[in-house]
Amino acid sequence: MEERVGKYSIITTGEFEIEKSDVLMLDSNLLIDIDKFYYMGISRPTRESLRELLYRARNIREIDFYVALRETCIKRENRDLLHAKRMIHAAKMVWDKSDGARERMFANRHPPVKRDKRWQKGKISVEEGEMVPEGLPEGFWLFYGSFLHLIMLYEQIGARQREELFVQHCQWTRNELSCVAAYPRMVARSLLLGKAEESNRARALLKVDKKNIPIEDKAWNAAWDCYFMSILDGYRMGSGNVVGEMRRRNPMKVALATAKDQAWIDSISSYRGALWMGDMCIPFVENMSGVREDAMAVAEEQAQKDNIVIAMRLGDEHKIKTACEAISNLESDLGIAHPVGLQLEVESFL
């Protein structure tokens, strides 16, 4: 379900109002707005949107900004530790205030940090220091690799039929990346087989018309947009790596507050449930993106092949080395300076 709160879109994991959520999840744009509000000040419309959102969410027990922190504070192999601590402190200070204190914070024309003596002295709490993210999630790289290949095809071989590009992309992800990632596949289908409106939204998400943005940055940003949606699915399933082992198998009500693209991604997908196989949870996400009538046969054929591959690999441990090598080779072909295969140290993922 989606609703608007000022400039923000709110996506929930079920049919409930934001006030009924167990967790409020912030996307990167919202975390950046909080950071700017606390330390520098923001425009009046953004300030009012942020004030309204925080008021609506004032009784939600938990805030989740860890994915947003990773996106904003980790660039490939480097962590911006100071930036992370700064954002964590701003989010905690804004979130933990009482209603009256928060209202005074928003009413004051000076940035709240002016009155924050602890921050002025260079101090943060032990809890805030422990929140700094260590690295990038394993599944994120699959999204990145899939988008890197998709954007490369679209930008370099644009004269070919889009149906041919879609088939080539699907074959690469199945055979080389050895994975079919649901959300990147939906975006690819929208871009290459979708009706005009959906194809345009996919082009905007991937920024394929922006000549001044490096291809790796386009893939990086689009991968995060989709990764947020996969975390929502983790909350829907009660996946242990999202909700924690103490709450595993217990679905949670979550609202994602986002400023842009996740709302469109949510509109082309429908969560249908999950299958538990021991400790592993498999989400079922239906592709709802509209396909041109002349491309329907191609879409159905590739969907059937994807389903066969997924069924064959359910429950099997997928070695990340396969994906690393495929992405690293692709980056080398594109002249990208820091191959992903040299940066990942994890051995495997499901």
Side-chain angles (χ1 to χ4, degrees), residues 6-8 29-30 32-52 105-112:
K7 65 176 278 191
Y8 305 114
N29 293 288
L30 183 51
I32 289 169
D33 284 348
I34 290 175
D35 177 66
K36 290 180 178 178
F37 163 72
Y38 195 78
Y39 296 104
M40 295 174 288
I42 51 178
S43 67
R44 181 179 294 274
T46 299
R47 172 188 285 259
E48 290 306 312
S49 294
L50 188 56
R51 182 205 294 251
E52 182 182 357
M105 182 183 294
F106 276 91
N108 196 313
R109 64 186 180 89
H110 298 293

Side-chain angles (χ1 to χ4, degrees), residues 15 32 63 67 71 76 79 89 99 129 142 151 177 182 199 230 233 236 247 285 304 336:
E15 297 294 326
I32 289 169
I63 185 174
V67 178
E71 180 179 4
R76 305 180 77 78
R79 282 197 309 163
H89 184 72
D99 289 348
L142 296 176
I151 296 169
L177 196 59
S199 182
S230 73
D233 289 339
R236 289 183 177 109
R247 296 186 290 196
V285 183
Q304 290 174 3
I336 297 173

Side-chain angles (χ1 to χ4, degrees), residues 36 63-64 68 77 116 118 125 133 136 172 232 281 283 306 331 339 341:
K36 290 180 178 178
I63 185 174
D64 179 354
E77 75 273 20
D116 188 342
R118 285 176 52 240
S125 69
L136 294 168
W172 184 84
L232 281 186
C281 193
D306 286 348
E331 287 190 313

Side-chain angles (χ1 to χ4, degrees), residues 19-304:
E19 291 86 350
K20 302 296 183 182
S21 303
D22 300 314
V23 179
L24 175 67
M25 187 177 176
L26 309 183
D27 92 329
S28 303
N29 293 288
L30 183 51
L31 186 60
I32 289 169
D33 284 348
I34 290 175
D35 177 66
K36 290 180 178 178
F37 163 72
Y38 195 78
Y39 296 104
M40 295 174 288
I42 51 178
S43 67
R44 181 179 294 274
T46 299
R47 172 188 285 259
E48 290 306 312
S49 294
L50 188 56
R51 182 205 294 251
E52 182 182 357
L53 174 64
L54 291 171
Y55 178 78
R56 290 279 303 277
R58 66 192 185 282
N59 293 323
I60 298 177
R61 295 176 299 174
E62 186 177 335
I63 185 174
D64 179 354
F65 49 81
Y66 301 109
V67 178
L69 266 178
R70 284 185 165 92
E71 180 179 4
T72 54
C73 298
I74 300 178
K75 289 297 184 184
R76 305 180 77 78
E77 75 273 20
N78 296 320
R79 282 197 309 163
D80 189 339
L81 190 62
L82 180 60
H83 191 192
K85 289 181 177 180
R86 168 191 171 109
M87 285 188 143
I88 291 167
H89 184 72
K92 292 292 292 180
M93 292 300 290
V94 171
W95 180 259
D96 290 341
K97 295 295 184 183
S98 66
D99 289 348
R102 191 181 297 115
E103 282 301 307
R104 289 192 294 272
M105 182 183 294
F106 276 91
N108 196 313
R109 64 186 180 89
H110 298 293
V113 73
K114 295 287 188 181
R115 303 168 65 88
D116 188 342
K117 295 181 180 179
R118 285 176 52 240
W119 181 260
Q120 299 295 343
K121 293 178 180 179
K123 297 180 180 180
I124 62 171
S125 69
V126 174
E127 178 191 15
E128 290 171 13
E130 292 174 347
M131 287 182 178
V132 178
E134 287 296 331
L136 294 168
E138 297 164 357
F140 166 81
W141 294 107
L142 296 176
F143 290 17
Y144 168 76
S146 182
F147 281 132
L148 192 64
H149 185 264
L150 175 64
I151 296 169
M152 178 202 70
L153 287 180
Y154 190 86
E155 293 185 347
Q156 293 186 359
I157 325 175
R160 294 176 55 183
Q161 291 293 320
R162 292 189 177 192
E163 291 85 348
E164 294 179 21
L165 296 184
F166 184 71
V167 171
Q168 187 175 344
H169 175 65
C170 290
Q171 289 174 342
W172 184 84
T173 55
R174 289 193 298 259
N175 299 331
E176 300 298 326
L177 196 59
S178 191
C179 175
V180 179
Y183 290 105
R185 183 67 98 237
M186 292 178 200
V187 174
R189 195 168 87 158
S190 295
L191 176 70
L192 298 172
L193 308 182
K195 299 174 183 178
E197 182 178 356
E198 289 197 353
S199 182
N200 289 338
R201 291 298 300 269
R203 285 170 55 193
L205 174 76
L206 299 170
K207 299 178 177 61
V208 291
D209 299 319
K210 302 288 186 180
K211 304 301 183 184
N212 60 331
I213 301 177
I215 187 172
E216 62 269 29
D217 289 346
K218 296 175 183 180
W220 185 271
N221 294 333
W224 282 114
D225 287 326
C226 284
Y227 189 74
F228 274 95
M229 303 308 299
S230 73
I231 296 298
L232 281 186
D233 289 339
Y235 276 117
R236 289 183 177 109
M237 297 184 295
S239 179
N241 66 326
V242 174
V243 303
E245 285 302 310
M246 294 295 293
R247 296 186 290 196
R248 189 163 63 91
R249 292 181 182 258
N250 293 315
M252 300 184 68
K253 295 180 179 179
V254 179
L256 169 63
T258 174
K260 51 175 187 175
D261 292 313
Q262 286 89 1
W264 173 68
I265 298 170
D266 184 62
S267 74
I268 62 171
S269 63
S270 179
Y271 177 78
R272 296 300 189 187
L275 171 67
W276 280 91
M277 301 181 66
D279 291 335
M280 183 175 65
C281 193
I282 307 297
F284 293 102
V285 183
E286 184 177 354
N287 192 328
M288 305 293 288
S289 60
V291 174
R292 303 190 317 271
E293 186 174 346
D294 62 310
M296 191 64 70
V298 172
E300 291 177 352
E301 179 185 13
Q302 293 305 310
Q304 290 174 3

